[in-house]
Amino acid sequence: GIQVEQSPPDLILQEGANSTLRCNFSDSVNNLQWFHQNPWGQLINLFYIPSGTKQNGRLSATTVATERYSLLYISSSQTTDSGVYFCAVPPNTGGFKTIFGAGTRLFVKA
Amino acid sequence: EAGVVQSPRYKIIEKKQPVAFWCNPISGHNTLYWYRQNLGQGPELLIRYENEEAVDDSQLPKDRFSAERLKGVDSTLKIQPAELGDSAVYLCASSLVLASGTYEQYFGPGTRLTVT
């Protein structure tokens, strides 16, 4: 089945710093989502981005489907950005079973 | 618009006891998912419903887990009997699956289960 790898696994930032999170996937996909799981466990939708670039405030994401990766950019990080960031993709074999990466654990220091 | 609702938020039971989780998806979403998330890992799909039909339950431990989605709206996930290894967060998600195959999943707050 499709493999999803996220890097880095852990990241510590000083408030105000920028960062880039990466998601590599082993097969072509037609759907990709980025989520933020806050310290209370809630999974929050950040982007639905099967291809191209999207921006939402301080966050933006780019997916290059032909090269099988997606990037999540966080600019001017805030302490509230702390948590785990997941990318999730379905296999190209069809269906809607979503495979999650292991996540990037981000801690932003004040 | 109300999000995905789950209850209870927390549950502590002794092993061998039964437990049930309830999920109400976003109105109009035709697809509902149950995931299990172990500590430090990403969510793993247990079962997916398309309307009231279970279309992917390959990862549901059918000897002790069961699920239903009556009338294609609310869903219940049950474990009987629970084992220590079932301690995890159980997440429900829903999506509107379009004919083009595109969809975006929305998650509920989850139920944190502790089996003692």
Side-chain angles (χ1 to χ4, degrees):
Chain A
I2 192 169
Q3 304 296 315
V4 181
E5 294 183 353
Q6 291 187 243
S7 60
D10 299 281
L11 185 59
I12 299 175
L13 296 176
Q14 189 66 46
E15 193 170 30
N18 303 327
S19 64
T20 300
L21 282 56
R22 187 177 181 101
C23 173
N24 292 332
F25 36 95
S26 59
D27 201 354
S28 57
V29 298
N30 54 16
N31 282 306
L32 186 144
Q33 282 189 258
W34 280 98
F35 295 92
H36 173 217
Q37 190 164 41
N38 65 22
W40 296 269
Q42 176 72 55
L43 273 164
I44 300 165
N45 290 36
L46 295 178
F47 294 101
Y48 171 76
I49 186 167
S51 63
T53 298
K54 290 186 177 180
Q55 181 157 5
N56 184 5
R58 296 181 296 104
L59 303 181
S60 64
T62 295
T63 296
V64 184
T66 53
E67 297 187 20
R68 301 179 185 174
Y69 73 89
S70 183
L71 302 174
L72 177 69
Y73 305 95
I74 304 174
S75 64
S76 304
S77 59
Q78 300 176 358
T79 57
T80 52
D81 295 332
S82 296
V84 184
Y85 290 80
F86 290 103
C87 71
V89 301
N92 197 40
T93 51
F96 303 100
K97 179 177 180 177
T98 304
I99 307 297
F100 279 75
T104 291
R105 287 155 188 77
L106 173 65
F107 179 68
V108 181
K109 300 187 296 183
Chain B
E1 177 183 284
V4 177
V5 179
Q6 290 189 247
S7 68
R9 293 294 312 277
Y10 305 92
K11 190 74 176 179
I12 301 174
I13 61 172
E14 294 183 348
K15 62 181 180 181
K16 301 185 181 180
Q17 295 301 305
V19 64
F21 314 123
W22 176 81
C23 173
N24 181 248
I26 292 174
S27 178
H29 280 193
N30 53 359
T31 303
L32 183 147
Y33 314 75
W34 283 103
Y35 288 85
R36 177 169 58 190
Q37 185 176 23
N38 293 312
L39 189 64
Q41 299 180 17
E44 294 181 315
L45 182 70
L46 292 174
I47 188 169
R48 174 175 70 88
Y49 282 93
E50 212 166 286
N51 298 305
E52 61 271 5
E53 181 183 2
V55 295
D56 183 355
D57 62 355
S58 57
Q59 302 212 145
L60 189 72
K62 299 181 182 62
D63 56 337
R64 297 183 300 105
F65 286 64
S66 64
E68 61 183 7
R69 190 184 185 197
L70 300 177
K71 301 181 181 178
V73 182
D74 295 4
S75 178
T76 302
L77 177 69
K78 298 178 181 178
I79 308 175
Q80 183 172 10
E83 298 180 351
L84 295 177
D86 296 331
S87 295
V89 176
Y90 291 82
L91 295 162
C92 179
S94 71
S95 63
L96 176 62
V97 178
L98 304 176
S100 60
T102 59
Y103 66 98
E104 184 172 357
Q105 292 188 52
Y106 295 85
F107 281 81
T111 297
R112 183 176 299 276
L113 173 67
T114 301
V115 182
T116 64

